Every structure is written in C-alpha cells, then in structure tokens.
Amino acid sequence: MLRYPSLRAPLDILFLVCCIALTADVLVPEIWGNGKTKDYPLWFWAGQQVLHGKDLYPSDPNAYFDFIYPPLSAVLLAIPSYFGKVPLYLCLSALNGIAWWMTAQLSNAMTGSGKIPGPWLFALPGFVTITFVFDMFDLGQPNLVLLAMMLLGFWFLQHERPWMAGSMFALATAIKVFPVAVFPYLVWRRQWVCAASMALFLGILLFMLPAPVRGFQHNVSELKTWFHGMVGSSSEQGFGQRAEQNWSWVNQSIIAVTHRLTRPVNYNQDNPAKAPQYMNLLDLDFKTANWIVLAISLAIGVGYIAVMPPASRITPRSTAEELGILFCLMTVASPLARQYYFMWLFFPMTILIHRAAYDPRTAVQAGTWATLAIAGLLMCLSFPIFPNDLQAFGNNLAATAVISGGLAWHILHPPLAGQASSLSSKAGELKPGVQNNVRS
C-alpha cells in the first residue's frame, strides 16, 4: 500500500495543492508581510542559539523558558536555521507535508482490515482532521511529524525490526517528551529488544548526539535545567512552563480536566482580560485532586490491559485496535493536550473507518459509523462559533473516550472465524503466526 503521490490521481493532486497552500500560509507572511508569527520565530531563535553557542534556557529552572523542548530539538533546528528563516520555514513545512502523507499511508496500511481502501475512503481521515493539519503548518508544531515517527516505529516493529522501531520511538521522545508513554506498553507486551533499543537510542540522542555541537558538560547542564524547569516542577499554580495554560480551557488532558472538575480553578486564566470562570463539581485541595487523577489513570490503565488479548489470540485486527487505543491514551495522558495534540486521533479514526466499511456484520458497520459521528460532533465543538466553556469541559477528551470505547468494543467482539475469512492479512500486515511470535 505504501506509495508516492501520483499526478494521475485526483486526490493526490488535491493533497499536493493543499500542501502548497499550507506552505504559502507560512512563507507568504515571512517574505511579503510582517513576518510569520506563532512558533516559527522561536524555532529560528533556538537554532541560532545553538549556532552561536548560547544558552537555550535561563540558569534558574524556576525562571520563564522561551524554549521548552529538549536540547536535541534545538540542535536539529540549527541545521536549516543556518541558511535563514525562509529555508527553515520551508524545511518545517516540507516535513509536515511528508509526515501528513506518511501518516495517511501507514494508518491505512496498519488497520488490520486486510483491505486496500478506495481513494475516497483512504482520504476520509485526512478530510476529517484537516483543521488539525492546518494547525500543524500554521503554528509550526511537530506533533504531526511525531505521529508519523510513531506509526513508522510500529510499522518496523510489525515487520520484525525492533531496533529500528526503538530508534523511532526514541527520536520522537527526544524531540517532545510525551511519546515516552509508549515505553510501558513495550514492556507489557514483552517487546524487550524494542524497549532496550528505545532506552539506548534515547540516551544517545539526549546525551551523545548534541555533545559535539554543545559540548558534553554544557549539554548535560542544559538537560538538568530543562528537566527541573519542565518535568520536575508541579504545584497548585501549574506544572512545567506556561502555567497560565495548565489549568485553562486550552488544555484537555486528563490531568487538566480532572483538576477543573474537582477544585476551583479559573479556566480563563490564560486571558487576564476575561472574567474568572469555574466549572468544578467538587471543592478539593490540590493534593486530593492529584490522587483522583492517579486513581483515574490507574483505572484506565487496568481497563486497557483487561481488553488487550493474550498473545495466543492476537490478530492483525486486534493489534491495530490495541494500538489505536494506545495512541488515544498517549494523546490525553500528556500533561498539556492542546487542540492540535488531537491530530493523533488520525490513526484510531482510520481503524474505525475501516471497521465501519469492511466489518462483515451490517449492524456493527452502522454502530461504528455512529460512533465516528458522535466523536466528530464532539470535536466540532472546538470551532470558534462555540463557547470555550465546551472545551473547558473536555469535548476532545470526550471524543477520544468515545473512539477508545469503539476500539475496545471491536477488540472484545471480533467477527467469527467464518465471517472474518475475507479479512486475511495483506502485504504490510503481520501474519498471525509471525505476530504471535513477535508479541510473545
């Protein structure tokens, strides 16, 4: 199924036109306007800091960080930054375009349906997530690239290349930390080689790769500062950097929504001009709210393990659904889950689209389409025409829960052997015997 875009396919041409238009959204303001805003100037600044040997973070971990990503990210940005802003922005846009194409290719190839979708069905996940893709280009955020990396990692893992898979997971984690949530999954599924590869490459990427550029001691010092300022800080006022966003409506993570529901937190704190607004159903203290977050997280984890089939019953279908839930959980388990984080629902939605189109049970097809419709309507509540209060209550979080529930249902209710005979594994999917050996 994996292929390059074709100028003979109308939808491929539409994809290329969209990429050109989205790239123009980035380059036109920079070349002919007042300069591109959002995160792009920050990426150029970080690259220049590396090129000139300057610090990325303040010496005080409690001070405000302009750049909140690990040092490796800045080192990678330094290469195109050397040539100027326009080459950097063009490079980032090209990476987003490539990642968008690869995400669609890998997602459709890894659904376990055993079917090659028609062009419109293939493109449907891209259509329903187009607003997220626009955010990736417009903001300059790397979440789409990280998604492609994670999918490629699982593609390698399913094709018995655990070292390559671990390296992709490590690279995604070294750029933006939240993909580290894949590590417990690898351990639980006894993917020892892949887990070891991820740990090894993460150490290389964080400590060794930046050393020739930054100096080993300088890099280690910056890593410590970054860790204390980002990962190691948490209080009632917020966690990490950008405290004004932690508890506000823009954050739809499990942590943020739980705190907003269990203690009096102003969800308009990201904008001091707005009147304070609260949505708490309880009036608990910070510590107790954290215990509730922990209890919810444990319950979700136990539930996830409960629906995961044992190694003897793993199929390409169940693996896809299992991974789809994992991508949902990685999205909402991140302490900060802004709107564009939910780009990661691309893969889980693609799986459900394949189930809705190809499941041999008519009632299941209708129910799966209904599940997707409910999730889509919930995500539409993020449009600017709706009040921010709906996002404060976690509309995207609720949509993620609906999608996860649909995937869990499919794991627990696979088609009967006779019904599933037409769903045999195609190229790009593991054969059950091979997969059982890999997973065990």
Side-chain angles (χ1 to χ4, degrees), residues 119-142:
W120 288 104
L121 191 71
F122 176 92
L124 182 56
F127 285 128
V128 299
T129 58
I130 188 65
T131 58
F132 299 127
V133 175
F134 172 78
D135 283 343
M136 295 301 101
F137 280 85
D138 187 51
L139 299 174
Q141 279 290 322

Side-chain angles (χ1 to χ4, degrees), residues 203-219:
I204 293 173
L205 292 170
L206 290 178
F207 291 95
M208 305 305 297
L209 187 60
V213 180
R214 305 292 284 162
F216 184 79
Q217 292 298 332
H218 188 189
N219 180 61

Side-chain angles (χ1 to χ4, degrees), residues 107-239:
S107 294
N108 278 283
M110 294 170 63
T111 62
S113 67
K115 301 288 186 178
I116 298 178
W120 288 104
L121 191 71
F122 176 92
L124 182 56
F127 285 128
V128 299
T129 58
I130 188 65
T131 58
F132 299 127
V133 175
F134 172 78
D135 283 343
M136 295 301 101
F137 280 85
D138 187 51
L139 299 174
Q141 279 290 322
N143 289 53
L144 178 55
V145 175
L146 300 181
L147 172 58
M149 289 179 182
M150 298 298 288
L151 288 170
L152 186 58
F154 280 109
W155 175 266
F156 284 138
L157 188 60
Q158 291 183 0
H159 287 78
E160 301 185 81
R161 299 178 184 176
W163 283 101
M164 291 292 291
S167 68
M168 295 308 300
F169 298 150
L171 179 58
T173 302
I175 292 174
K176 197 169 184 177
V177 182
F178 76 95
V180 73
V182 74
F183 190 81
Y185 172 82
L186 298 175
V187 173
W188 181 262
R189 274 305 188 188
R190 299 181 182 181
Q191 296 286 354
W192 305 121
V193 176
C194 185
S197 171
M198 180 178 176
L200 175 63
F201 277 102
L202 189 58
I204 293 173
L205 292 170
L206 290 178
F207 291 95
M208 305 305 297
L209 187 60
V213 180
R214 305 292 284 162
F216 184 79
Q217 292 298 332
H218 188 189
N219 180 61
V220 170
S221 176
E222 288 196 321
L223 273 174
K224 290 180 179 178
T225 302
W226 170 82
F227 183 85
H228 287 297
M230 286 296 303
V231 182
S233 63
S234 178
S235 69
E236 191 170 351
Q237 284 69 44
F239 44 85

Side-chain angles (χ1 to χ4, degrees), residues 11 14 18 39-40 46 109 117 130 139 152 158 214 217-218 228 259 263 280 291 311 317 326 355 384 391 393 415:
L11 285 177
L14 178 61
C18 287
D39 289 328
Y40 283 96
I130 188 65
L139 299 174
L152 186 58
Q158 291 183 0
R214 305 292 284 162
Q217 292 298 332
H218 188 189
H228 287 297
H259 273 267
R263 65 189 186 93
N280 56 301
W291 280 112
R317 276 181 64 101
L326 177 64
R355 300 297 177 269
Q391 294 187 62
F393 277 96

Side-chain angles (χ1 to χ4, degrees), residues 252-254 257 296 300 304 307 321 324-333 342 345 348-349 352 370-372 374-376 378-379 393-410:
Q252 294 199 44
S253 68
I254 294 174
V257 174
I296 293 173
I300 293 173
Y304 181 41
V307 302
E321 291 148 3
I325 297 175
L326 177 64
F327 276 69
C328 290
L329 296 182
M330 285 193 289
T331 301
V332 298
F342 293 88
L345 297 183
M349 286 192 292
L352 286 181
T371 300
L372 285 165
I374 293 170
L378 285 168
M379 287 190 288
F393 277 96
N395 65 300
N396 284 332
L397 178 61
T400 305
V402 170
I403 292 171
S404 299
L407 292 168
W409 189 93
H410 277 281

